[in-house]
Amino acid sequence: MAEATIDANPSPVASAKNLLDLPAVRQGLLLAGIAAAIAIGIATVLWTRAPDYSLLYSNLADRDAGAVVNALQAATIPYEFDQASGAILVPASRVHEARLKLAADGLPQGSGLGFELMGEEQGFGVSQFMENARYQHMLETELVRTIASLRPVRGARVHLAMPKQSVFVRDRRPASASVMVELFPGRRLEDSQVAAIVHMIASSIPDLETGNITVVDQSGRLLTDADSSAELALTTQQFEYKTRVEDSYTRRIEEMLIPLVGADQVRAQVTAEMDFTMTEQTLESYDSADPALRSEQSSSQTRLGGTTEPVGVPGALTNQPPGADDLAAAANAQSSSNNAVRNYELDRSVSHVRQPVGTIRRLSVAVIVDERQTVAEDGSATSTPLTPTELERMTTLVREAVGFDEARGDTVNVINAPFMAPAELEPTQAAWWEMPLVQQALRQVVGLILILGVIFGLLRPVVRHLLAPPRPSTALLTGGAPAEYLPSGPRPVLSYEERLNAARSLVGEDPRRAARVVKDWVAEDE
């Protein structure tokens, strides 16, 4: 029988197999595999049971974000912080709880502290300049919070210029303000909202007029234009008033005809031509037919002859003494004069007439009525046109509802036509795999499959391999390794007991292989 030998310089493959056969290495690998399997299983379970996170706050300032995170940690509320967008996420089931908790703590504070600064302790020796600056900052912050409450506004900045007032009237300078609003993407401020911002700021600051307030957006577009704001506001009000009048007439017509033809069976449109011309007229009239005497003053003067007073144009002739003929004529002369002044009182009426603004010049009314629907016994629907008498009755009702005035040029047209039936939309349901319960179940199933895969695909083979007894090599039984694995050189001879134990192990593990080895031994002995 050939002697069993062991190669003194084994190959790398044989060295690795011998290393794995060591008890300490096998135990270490076993523990590492178990630990890896447990870690994978725990991670899978946590993934399947992880809650869905919802948005708590986004676009917070760094100061507010830090305060919110600290408050969530103190309240033991789990959170996630998105590094890309700066959003703070919390479990969907605890969003309202987190917001209530943060609101109780006064978070988030927004763009800064407003009148909360009044509650802070002031240091000793604060100057009057710092007090005024602090007060102005509080006003600006409070105005920013108010403006940011508008739906289209994401954020705002307010800068106030309030010069120090002087006791001298000529040295007084008016205050001014500048507002920069940051709008959400795709949103814009209406003219009425811009005007509301301007008037709100003007009402909050003393001696601040609306003309000294400037509002711009984040694109640098000027939102306040003093030259055209008044005309634009008037035009907007006129359009809104015209729309309200038309809607009122439309609602009257539909409410009048719906009881006759049924709901959704009538459509009406009213176009009103409005006159927004403002006219003022002052009239003053007198009644001269029956005057009344208020006062009268009369005087009468009579002069008889015998006077020698000079008469005529003053001059040389007048100053000469009268002759005999003149004296005789003067003795027979006689004159008289009467004067009267009468004041009459006449009836007078003064009227100031102001024509109403927004009068209706003309109404154009268009009404369409659906045909009458009749359902037969078999369930089929039949459309029946309305009779001319019915249309005439409806036209009369419409005229009475809108206050038809033929002299004004109003027109009313009522026609009967079949309505197109709306297309039936099939209810769209989400795919079964998109339903929340199904997604949760799929997550659980995937997690279970992963756990089973780790157990049977990784942990079980590793444990079986590491727990299996080391296999004796053929070289131990044959007295040497195969020629392709053993280099040339001296080989130590195994003892009889070692060879016997190796043979027993091989027989118990692989009987066929043991039979081949024994067969080889018998062949060598022959």
Side-chain angles (χ1 to χ4, degrees):
M1 182 179 296
E3 296 181 355
T5 60
I6 298 178
D7 190 358
N9 298 317
S11 64
V13 176
S15 300
K17 294 179 63 177
N18 295 333
L19 182 62
L20 292 176
D21 291 339
L22 295 177
V25 176
R26 295 168 66 89
Q27 291 178 3
L29 293 176
L30 177 61
L31 294 178
I34 294 175
I38 293 175
I40 295 175
I42 293 175
T44 305
V45 171
L46 293 178
W47 174 73
T48 56
R49 300 185 60 184
D52 294 331
Y53 281 80
S54 297
L55 178 65
L56 180 63
Y57 291 113
S58 62
N59 299 321
L60 292 178
D62 295 339
R63 178 178 179 179
D64 285 341
V68 168
V69 168
N70 292 335
L72 293 177
Q73 291 177 350
T76 65
I77 298 177
Y79 68 91
E80 290 183 357
F81 187 78
D82 190 353
Q83 298 291 341
S85 62
I88 299 178
L89 308 175
V90 297
S93 59
R94 306 190 68 178
V95 171
H96 298 290
E97 176 188 354
R99 289 182 177 175
L100 291 175
K101 174 63 179 176
L102 295 175
D105 296 338
L107 297 174
Q109 295 178 350
S111 58
L113 293 176
F115 284 107
E116 294 86 354
L117 289 174
M118 300 292 292
E120 295 186 0
E121 260 197 61
Q122 307 298 328
F124 179 74
V126 179
S127 62
Q128 183 67 27
F129 174 79
M130 291 300 299
E131 290 290 342
N132 294 335
R134 187 187 297 269
Y135 176 71
Q136 181 172 342
H137 175 68
M138 288 188 297
L139 287 179
E140 293 174 349
T141 304
E142 292 297 326
L143 291 174
V144 166
R145 290 180 178 178
T146 305
I147 296 173
S149 62
L150 296 176
R151 291 184 178 179
V153 179
R154 172 185 287 178
R157 294 290 301 274
V158 176
H159 303 282
L160 299 177
M162 297 186 296
K164 186 177 180 181
Q165 298 298 331
S166 174
V167 296
F168 301 100
V169 177
R170 67 176 61 183
D171 294 336
R172 290 184 180 179
R173 290 175 294 174
S176 61
S178 300
V179 183
M180 196 280 291
V181 292
E182 181 183 1
L183 306 178
F184 285 102
R187 305 293 294 274
R188 63 182 298 270
L189 282 177
E190 300 293 339
D191 297 328
S192 58
Q193 294 174 323
V194 175
I197 293 175
V198 171
H199 286 82
M200 183 267 297
I201 297 177
S203 302
S204 303
I205 306 301
D207 300 328
L208 180 58
E209 298 180 357
T210 57
N212 296 331
I213 301 176
T214 303
V215 182
V216 298
D217 60 7
Q218 70 268 30
S219 301
R221 187 168 60 94
L222 182 64
L223 302 181
T224 54
D225 190 357
D227 296 335
S228 61
S229 58
E231 297 179 0
L232 183 60
L234 182 60
T235 304
T236 303
Q237 294 176 359
Q238 293 174 356
F239 178 77
E240 292 178 353
Y241 179 75
K242 178 177 179 294
T243 303
R244 289 198 301 268
V245 171
E246 294 174 347
D247 292 342
S248 175
Y249 282 125
T250 301
R251 187 168 55 254
R252 291 182 189 177
I253 295 171
E254 292 181 349
E255 291 178 354
M256 181 71 68
L257 297 182
I258 282 177
L260 300 178
V261 298
D264 297 331
Q265 303 297 316
V266 60
R267 297 290 185 272
Q269 289 293 331
V270 177
T271 302
E273 295 181 7
M274 311 294 295
D275 184 8
F276 294 99
T277 304
M278 183 179 297
T279 304
E280 293 186 3
Q281 185 179 10
T282 303
L283 300 177
E284 185 174 358
S285 60
Y286 299 90
D287 186 7
S288 59
D290 188 14
L293 182 63
R294 183 177 64 179
S295 62
E296 182 179 3
Q297 182 180 1
S298 62
S299 63
S300 178
Q301 183 178 5
T302 302
R303 186 172 58 184
L304 300 176
T307 180
T308 59
E309 294 180 357
V311 293
V313 180
L317 296 178
T318 308
N319 294 331
Q320 293 178 2
D325 298 337
D326 294 334
L327 292 174
N332 297 324
Q334 181 179 0
S335 63
S336 63
S337 63
N338 294 321
N339 295 324
V341 177
R342 294 182 180 87
N343 295 322
Y344 292 93
E345 188 70 27
L346 300 178
D347 294 338
R348 185 183 65 170
S349 62
V350 179
S351 61
H352 181 77
V353 180
R354 182 175 181 179
Q355 299 294 336
V357 179
T359 58
I360 299 176
R361 289 182 178 178
R362 183 172 178 269
L363 286 179
S364 299
V365 182
V367 181
I368 180 172
V369 182
D370 191 12
E371 294 182 350
R372 184 178 291 105
Q373 303 293 328
T374 304
V375 180
E377 295 180 356
D378 56 356
S380 60
T382 305
S383 298
T384 305
L386 299 178
T387 62
T389 304
E390 293 175 333
L391 286 177
E392 184 63 27
R393 291 172 53 192
M394 293 182 182
T395 303
T396 303
L397 291 176
V398 172
R399 290 179 176 177
E400 295 296 332
V402 300
F404 179 80
D405 187 357
E406 186 175 0
R408 195 171 53 186
D410 296 349
T411 59
V412 174
N413 291 321
V414 180
I415 65 173
N416 178 223
F419 286 5
M420 294 295 296
E424 296 183 0
L425 300 177
E426 297 181 358
T428 58
Q429 296 181 355
W432 62 270
W433 60 83
E434 296 180 355
M435 300 178 64
L437 294 178
V438 175
Q439 289 184 351
Q440 186 67 21
L442 288 176
R443 179 181 294 183
Q444 300 291 340
V445 171
V446 171
L448 180 60
I449 293 174
L450 290 177
I451 294 176
L452 295 178
V454 170
I455 293 175
F456 292 100
L458 177 63
L459 184 60
R460 185 170 178 271
V462 171
V463 172
R464 289 185 59 184
H465 177 73
L466 295 178
L467 294 180
R471 295 183 179 181
S473 62
T474 308
L476 297 177
L477 301 178
T478 59
E484 61 270 17
Y485 296 110
L486 296 178
S488 59
R491 300 169 181 168
V493 179
L494 297 179
S495 62
Y496 175 77
E497 294 295 334
E498 293 175 347
R499 298 171 68 180
L500 182 59
N501 291 333
R504 289 176 178 174
S505 300
L506 181 60
V507 171
E509 181 179 355
D510 194 351
R512 294 183 180 180
R513 186 175 180 184
R516 288 197 302 269
V517 171
V518 174
K519 188 176 182 179
D520 294 338
W521 286 350
V522 172
E524 291 179 358
D525 292 340
E526 292 178 356

